[in-house]
Every structure is written in C-alpha cells, then in structure tokens.
C-alpha cells in the first residue's frame, strides 16, 4: 500500500453545456482521474458583455474520492451591459443587467446536507431589483427536514417534513399579491388528508385519503403522485387539482435541483435530487393481474395503431364524405375509439407511471369508466350530403363482459373488445381502399387507352399517304388490329378481369404505337441500306466514276426476304404478345445489316446464296427472333 499522489490541473473543462476554465486537484486510480480536494470552474467574458450579451458561471466546492463533499456554491448568470461604467477606488466598474442564479449549501458525500438556498434574481444596473425564485430547504444526508419555503414572483409555499422526509401537517401556498386563490394541502405522516382552495368569493375542500388505515407505500411527490390523486377525485375535483399552483411550484424547485445534480453527476458520484416523500394507499397487483395489465396495454397499442391508420387516412377522409359504407366504417372506428380506447388509454398511462397499485380496484373502475362499461352494441351516426342516418354495429369478439368478474379482468375484456372491433373494420377498410385503388387505376388506364389509340390513329392517318402502298397496308392492318383489341376490351365484364385487361390493353397499344413508327421508317431503312452498299468505282473504259452495288446477297436477303417477311407478320400474325418482339426484330435487323458493310462477310454471303427462309437468315444475322 502507498499513498496516491494528488495532482493539480489548470486549464479548460467542459461540463455538459458549460465550457470554462478549471482549477482542481485529483488523483489517478486505476487509470481513472478521480477528483479529490478543492474544485473551481468559471467563465465570464467582458468583451462579449460589452458587445452583446455574456453568460457566466462559477462552480466552487470540493471532492473526496470523486464524491462531492463540503461547502458548495453554484452561480449562473446571463447579463448584458449598456456600456455604462463608474469608477470606484480607482477601478472601473461596468454596470450589468440580467438574471443571476445561485445555489449555496453543504454536500455530505454526494447528498445535500444542512440548509440549501437556491435563488434566481433579476439584476438591473448591477443591483438586485427582484427575486424571481427562492427555495430554502434543510436536509439531513439527503432527506428533507423540518420547515421549508419555496417562492416565486407569484406564490410562496411553506410546509414541513418529519425526520424521515415525509410530508406532514399543513402545506400552504399564498399568493404574493394577496388576490389570487390560496391553497392548503393537509398531510398526516405523509398521507394526504384533504386539499383546501380559497379565494375571495368561495372555498372548496377536496377529500383525499382521510381515515385510510390500510397498507401504504412511500413514494416521491411528483407528477406520478398527482396522476394517482386523479384516480381518487371526481372529474370536477381533478380540474381543480390541475389548476393548483402548489405542484407547479414544486416542479420549479425540482428543476433547479436537477440542474445542479446534472453538473455534479458529470464530475463524480452524486445523488443530489431532493425527494419529497408522501404516502399512498397500496393495493399490490398479484401475478395474474400483472399479466392481465400487460395484455391490456398490448391490446391498446395495437388498437391505437390500427385506429390512427384509419382515422388519419386522407383517402378515407375524402371517401367518407360521399360514400355511405366508408362513412359507416370511419365513424364506427371513431366511436370505438371514444367508448373503448380512450378509457383504456388511461389505464395504459397509469401503468407507464407505475401507479395502478395506488388505488383500489373499484376506484380505478369507477374513475376510468365513470359512465359504466362500454357496450359492444352501438348505433353509428352517418351524415352524407347533410342527410343524417344511423346503422347498428356489434363488435365481433371472442370475449364477453361480466360485472361479476374481477376488475382487472373486466378492463382486459374491454381492451380486447376495442381491439377486435377496430381490427374487423381495419380489414374491411383494406378492401375498401383496395377497391378504390383498383377503380382509380382502372379510370387512369382507360384514359391512357384512349390517349394511346388516338395517338396511333392520328399518326397512321398522317403518314399513310406519304409512303409506298405495301408499307401503308401494314399500317392499315395495325390500325385494324388496334380497333379489334379495343373491341375485345369493351366486352370484359368482371371487375378484376377488366383491370388486368386494361393493363394489357395499354401495353399493347403502346407497343402498336412503337411498331407503327418503325413500319413508317422501313422505306428509309431500305433506302439507307441500298446507299450504304453502293460504292463509287472508277470505270477506265468510260473514264468516269460509276455506282456499283456490293455484297448483293446481303442486301437481297434484306430487301427480297426479310422486309416482306416483316410486313407479312404485321399484316397477318399480330398479337399483343408478339408486337414488341416483332418491332425489335425489324430495328435490330436494320442495324445488323448496316454494321456488316465494313466486315468480312464472305462466309455469310456463301450461306445466304440459296437461303430463302427468313427465320434462318435472321439467325445468320444474329438477330434474336421470336417464332410465331
């Protein structure tokens, strides 16, 4: 064993969002830096203050083996200056305005100990003009003790704790202006007895757990505790409770302590949060009830997801305005949400706050289902074009409700009914949306059919007179085939078959448009091939340049066999399935023949010498042909 050497650090330090200059002592323990001894970190910038605004802070205290211990002071400031200054004792003093926060007290091995004072003050020209917040609480090793006071610029709260830190006697909230209502919370050994709210005109008393003698549990006085009180009170009393300022002031105080705890936790081990303790009645869930509650939450989450996907669907929101069945489906989900899911949402929220055990089962049921358990048989209101009607709906479910069943089981039944009801509608809505999608797609496809056919007819009519008759006849046949295709489509009656047929008809007409363009270019193809395979040769006998056709077997195969074959295919063998392949064969053959001009084709020409079969010739030209 040997004494660990304590070292000193001077330099920059980042603590969460605070970046300043630090001086502290530390020791290295197993390669970790452990703060030990005095600690100081601060920041201020005069230049920034004079130019615009400066934020400053100072954290000063000490550590023992990485744990805050001893007197501590925290200061936070946001200031600006009007560049005013005064000279005091031969020194310039800059006058500042802004907000100054400070927290002063002692820490005992990470816990607040003794009296802690937290202040937030408004500063004007370097003078305190107003106290915005002040909290004075005494602790015994982290446990709040005796009397305390918390005040902001509107209210002052005073109260006291027992030695174990639980609330006791009267906690009173007074308005600073003496006009607003005052509040008093009366505790007996941590158990709230009643709340009294007074103003100039009236007073109201809300009874809580007065006279309760059963098992209790000690918890923190926080948002979960306030939610647990909601279950005990009537709807009117809950509204009064949530208007109370006492919980809001306690929340303000907790935020100040959390700010300090976050800083200390960045530096070492700390448990600085003050825990104001209260007691609540305790009704623990047994193992079966725990499983049932988990089931309730699961049903709710699934039902919520399904219902939101329906209620927020833009297509359904439009359809329900004119379609009675869609309006029925939509409004059914809306009613299931209101009657079943909204109450169950409360159960899910209480479970997330872990407060279901702080109320009796009967109180829970009476609070969540104040109007009684929802009925799976409902009347759904429907309004179309300002005409109102109704239609019955019964949730199809495998569970039945019984008032004699245990409360948690009854709640689980309601959750299951809500989920089952939404699930059935969700499946129906899928079909509604699918049908609407099919109808929209069909309408768009039929528009496209007209566009493609009109385009085809217009193109063929515009070029037929300007090309040789054999090509014109092929175009005429394409037009006739398109008309027959439309006639076949018009005879399809089945909705599902009609959608498939519409898709095929659009594709067919698009391919016919492409083929008609290709056929119209075939005279130019032929001319280009002839020009390509014609060379200018010097004739010494005539002493002039003359045109001479070359590679005649290739050009003859194209002009005498392949081109007539393509035109015959167009006129006699067209189907929607072979149009694309035929169009590809024509263009590919044309390009293949052009490319052979500059290649050695002696072997190919020998094979073409006596070949008359177009399919064989296409194979020799390496054109992929689809046989009919």
């Amino acid at each position: 064993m040997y004494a660990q050497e304590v070292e000193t650090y001077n330099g920059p330090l980042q603590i969460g969002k605070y970046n300043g200059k630090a001086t502290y002592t530390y020791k290295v323990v197993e390669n970790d830096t452990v703060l030990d001894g005095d600690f100081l970190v601060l920041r201020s910038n005069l230049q920034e203050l004079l130019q615009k605004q400066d934020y400053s802070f100072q954290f000063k205290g000490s550590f023992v083996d990485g744990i805050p211990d001893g007197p501590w002071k925290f200061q936070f400031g946001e200031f600006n200056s009007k560049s005013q200054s005064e000279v005091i004792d031969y020194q310039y003093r800059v006058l500042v305005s802004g907000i100054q926060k400070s927290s002063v007290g002692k820490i005992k091995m990470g816990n607040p100990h003794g009296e802690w004072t937290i202040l937030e003050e408004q500063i004007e020209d370097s003078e305190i003009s107003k106290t915005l917040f002040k909290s004075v609480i005494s602790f015994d090793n982290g446990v709040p003790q005796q009397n305390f006071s918390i005040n902001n610029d509107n209210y002052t709260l005073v109260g006291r704790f027992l030695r174990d830190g639980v609330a006791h006697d009267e906690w009173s909230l007074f308005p600073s202006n003496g006009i607003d209502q005052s509040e008093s919370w009366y505790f007996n050994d941590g158990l709230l007895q009643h709340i009294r709210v007074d103003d100039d005109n009236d007073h109201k008393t809300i009874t809580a757990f007065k006279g309760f003698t059963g098992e209790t549990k000690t918890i923190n006085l926080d948002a979960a505790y306030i939610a647990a009180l909601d279950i005990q009170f009537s709807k009117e009393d809950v509204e009064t409770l949530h208007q109370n300022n006492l919980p809001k002031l306690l929340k303000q105080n907790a935020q100040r302590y959390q700010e300090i705890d976050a800083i200390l936790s960045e530096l070492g081990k700390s448990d600085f949060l003050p825990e104001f303790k209260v007691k609540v009645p305790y009704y623990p869930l047994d193992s079966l009830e725990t499983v049932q509650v988990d089931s309730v939450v699961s049903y709710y989450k699934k039902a919520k997801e399904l219902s939101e996907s329906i209620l927020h669907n833009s297509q359904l929101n439009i359809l329900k305005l004119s379609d009675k069945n869609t309006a029925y489906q939509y409004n059914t989900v809306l009613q299931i949400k209101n009657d079943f899911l909204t109450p169950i949402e409360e159960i899910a929220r209480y479970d997330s706050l872990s407060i279901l055990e702080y109320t009796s089962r009967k109180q829970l049921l009476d609070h969540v289902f104040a109007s009684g358990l929802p009925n799976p048989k409902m009347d759904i209101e429907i309004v179309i074009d300002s005409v109102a009607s109704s239609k019955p709906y019964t949730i199809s479910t495998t569970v039945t409700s019984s008032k004699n069943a245990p409360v948690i089981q009854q709640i689980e039944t309601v959750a299951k009914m809500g989920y089952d009801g939404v699930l059935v509608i969700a499946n129906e809505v899928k079909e509604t949306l699918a049908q609407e999608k099919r109808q929209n797609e069909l309408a768009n496809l039929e528009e496209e059919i007209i566009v493609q056919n009109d385009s085809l007819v217009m193109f063929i009519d515009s070029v037929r007179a300007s090309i040789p008759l054999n090509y014109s006849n092929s175009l005429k046949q394409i037009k006739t085939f398109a008309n027959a295709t439309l006639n076949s489509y018009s005879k399809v009656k089945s909705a599902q078959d009609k959608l498939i047929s519409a898709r095929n008809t659009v594709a067919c007409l698009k391919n016919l448009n492409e083929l008609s363009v290709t056929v119209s270019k075939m005279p130019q193809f032929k001319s280009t091939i002839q020009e390509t395979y014609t060379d200018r040769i010097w004739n010494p006998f005539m002493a002039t340049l003359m045109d001479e056709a070359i590679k005649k077997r290739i050009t003859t195969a194209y002009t005498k066999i392949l081109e007539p074959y393509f035109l015959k295919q167009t006129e006699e063998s067209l189907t929607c399935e072979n149009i694309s392949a035929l169009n590809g064969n024509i263009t590919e053959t044309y390009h293949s023949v052009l490319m052979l001009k500059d290649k050695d084709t002696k072997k190919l020409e020998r094979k073409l010498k006596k070949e008359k079969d177009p399919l064989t010739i296409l194979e020799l030209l390496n054109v992929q042909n689809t046989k009919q």
Side-chain angles (χ1 to χ4, degrees), residues 434-493:
Q435 184 178 348
E436 181 69 12
K437 184 179 179 182
R438 287 195 296 269
Q439 290 174 347
N440 289 338
E441 184 184 359
L442 182 60
N444 292 333
L445 286 170
E446 289 185 338
E447 263 188 51
E448 184 66 15
I449 287 173
I450 300 302
V451 169
Q452 291 295 331
N453 186 65
D454 289 349
S455 174
L456 179 69
V457 171
M458 188 180 300
F459 177 77
I460 291 176
D461 289 347
S462 68
V463 300
R464 276 188 63 194
S466 62
I467 59 176
L469 185 60
N470 56 335
Y471 305 102
S472 177
N473 287 337
S474 292
L475 290 178
K476 180 181 178 182
Q477 185 56 42
I478 290 175
K479 187 176 175 181
T480 300
F481 179 78
N483 189 58
T485 301
L486 287 177
N487 188 47
S488 296
Y489 171 72
S490 67
K491 295 177 181 179
V492 178
K493 301 302 180 185

Side-chain angles (χ1 to χ4, degrees), residues 288-471:
L288 177 59
E289 289 175 321
T290 300
V291 172
Q292 289 170 335
V293 168
D294 291 342
S295 179
V296 168
V297 174
S298 176
Y299 284 134
Y300 168 71
K301 288 181 178 178
K302 291 187 290 187
K304 179 185 178 184
E305 183 178 354
L306 286 174
S307 63
E308 288 185 348
S309 70
I310 294 170
L311 298 177
H312 297 159
N313 186 286
S314 57
Q315 192 175 357
L316 284 175
N317 274 275
I318 294 172
L319 272 177
K320 71 182 176 68
L321 300 176
S322 57
D323 182 74
K324 193 170 184 178
N325 186 57
T326 303
Y328 175 64
Q329 293 168 331
Y330 184 94
N331 291 349
T332 300
V333 172
L334 193 60
Q335 188 155 332
I336 291 173
K337 177 185 176 182
N338 293 335
D339 294 353
F340 289 80
L341 303 187
T342 298
I344 294 300
E345 181 181 16
E346 283 293 283
I347 300 295
R349 184 170 74 91
Y350 296 153
D351 178 63
S352 68
L353 294 171
S354 301
I355 61 173
L356 285 175
E357 296 182 313
Y358 306 153
T359 179
S360 70
R361 305 296 179 263
K362 185 179 184 308
Q363 281 180 319
L364 179 64
L365 194 67
D366 291 345
H367 173 74
V368 176
F369 300 101
S371 302
L373 295 176
N375 194 326
K377 295 182 179 181
M378 301 174 283
D379 279 325
I380 308 302
E381 298 294 328
I382 305 167
V383 179
I384 300 291
D385 296 330
S386 301
V387 179
S389 62
S390 65
K391 185 177 178 181
Y393 180 80
T394 301
I395 294 176
S396 177
T397 183
T398 57
V399 294
T400 55
S401 179
S402 171
K403 293 183 179 180
N404 297 322
V407 167
I408 302 299
Q409 183 179 325
Q410 291 184 54
I411 294 172
E412 182 186 22
T413 298
V414 172
K416 178 68 163 59
M417 284 183 178
Y419 169 68
D420 287 344
V422 174
L423 181 61
V424 170
I425 299 297
N427 289 330
E428 292 177 3
V429 164
K430 282 182 183 177
E431 181 54 36
T432 299
L433 292 176
Q435 184 178 348
E436 181 69 12
K437 184 179 179 182
R438 287 195 296 269
Q439 290 174 347
N440 289 338
E441 184 184 359
L442 182 60
N444 292 333
L445 286 170
E446 289 185 338
E447 263 188 51
E448 184 66 15
I449 287 173
I450 300 302
V451 169
Q452 291 295 331
N453 186 65
D454 289 349
S455 174
L456 179 69
V457 171
M458 188 180 300
F459 177 77
I460 291 176
D461 289 347
S462 68
V463 300
R464 276 188 63 194
S466 62
I467 59 176
L469 185 60
N470 56 335
Y471 305 102

Side-chain angles (χ1 to χ4, degrees), residues 11 34 87 115 129 160 181 231 303 351 361 367 372 385 408 456 472 508 558 573 582 621:
V34 178
V87 179
E115 184 177 277
S129 64
R160 80 182 188 93
Q181 67 181 22
I231 306 173
D351 178 63
R361 305 296 179 263
H367 173 74
D385 296 330
I408 302 299
L456 179 69
S472 177
C508 186
Y558 179 82
S573 304
L582 175 58
L621 295 177

Side-chain angles (χ1 to χ4, degrees), residues 483-541:
N483 189 58
T485 301
L486 287 177
N487 188 47
S488 296
Y489 171 72
S490 67
K491 295 177 181 179
V492 178
K493 301 302 180 185
S494 165
Q496 185 63 37
D497 291 344
K498 199 168 187 69
L499 182 60
I500 296 171
S501 181
R503 291 171 183 158
N504 293 336
T505 301
V506 168
C508 186
L509 290 173
K510 285 182 177 179
N511 290 335
L512 284 175
N513 270 282
E514 292 175 2
L515 179 61
S516 64
V517 171
T518 300
V519 170
S520 72
K521 291 179 179 178
M522 287 180 72
Q524 184 62 42
F525 289 173
K526 184 176 181 179
S527 176
T528 301
I529 288 173
Q530 288 174 339
E531 289 177 6
T532 301
Y533 282 86
T534 299
D535 280 351
R536 300 284 284 172
I537 298 175
W538 174 258
N539 188 328
F541 298 103

